[in-house]
Amino acid sequence: MYPSLKLSPLLTPTPHTAGRSKAELVERRLEVMAACDSLLKAIKATLPEDCEYEPPTPKVGDEARRAWRERSAIIEALRDEIAMEAMKITIEWSPVEEKREKE
């Protein structure tokens, strides 16, 4: 996702009668994805313009925008990873079956 950012992989939960339902598990992930979308919208609105820096040159503005876009990419990757987990919950994905298929 980001070179210096090391994250543990998400472990996809399995719906269980003693825990949250499949719908609840997916709904919580959809809420996180919506929050990511809101954050991305705010970041896009924050993209700097050249005139916000001294001296106001295109090079400085380009560097500043690139830094914000890199941060956007992190949020997009996180959102996509959570979306994948929500899909795995929905289709009753099994890590054991996936492991067997790879062997």
Side-chain angles (χ1 to χ4, degrees):
M1 193 162 26
Y2 196 74
S4 63
L5 189 61
K6 304 284 187 210
L7 297 175
S8 300
L10 290 176
L11 301 176
T12 303
T14 305
H16 189 272
T17 54
R20 294 185 182 119
S21 69
K22 183 189 295 190
E24 255 186 302
L25 292 170
V26 171
E27 182 62 33
R28 292 190 186 245
R29 276 127 189 103
L30 293 175
E31 290 170 4
V32 173
M33 291 166 55
C36 289
D37 287 336
S38 294
L39 180 55
L40 287 167
K41 183 178 179 181
I43 288 173
K44 184 176 180 180
T46 304
L47 284 177
E49 297 178 8
D50 297 344
C51 62
E52 295 172 358
Y53 297 92
E54 284 294 329
T57 63
K59 181 181 180 200
V60 174
D62 288 345
E63 288 176 15
R65 284 185 291 278
R66 182 174 48 250
W68 279 99
R69 285 189 185 108
E70 288 172 357
R71 282 143 184 86
S72 289
I74 294 169
I75 304 304
E76 288 172 352
L78 179 63
R79 182 198 57 207
D80 293 347
E81 182 182 22
I82 294 166
M84 188 62 97
E85 183 184 39
M87 285 189 274
K88 287 178 180 179
I89 294 167
T90 302
I91 62 171
E92 298 181 20
W93 170 83
S94 168
V96 175
E97 290 174 17
E98 182 177 276
K99 186 177 179 182
R100 284 185 197 148
E101 290 173 6
K102 289 181 180 180
E103 293 175 347

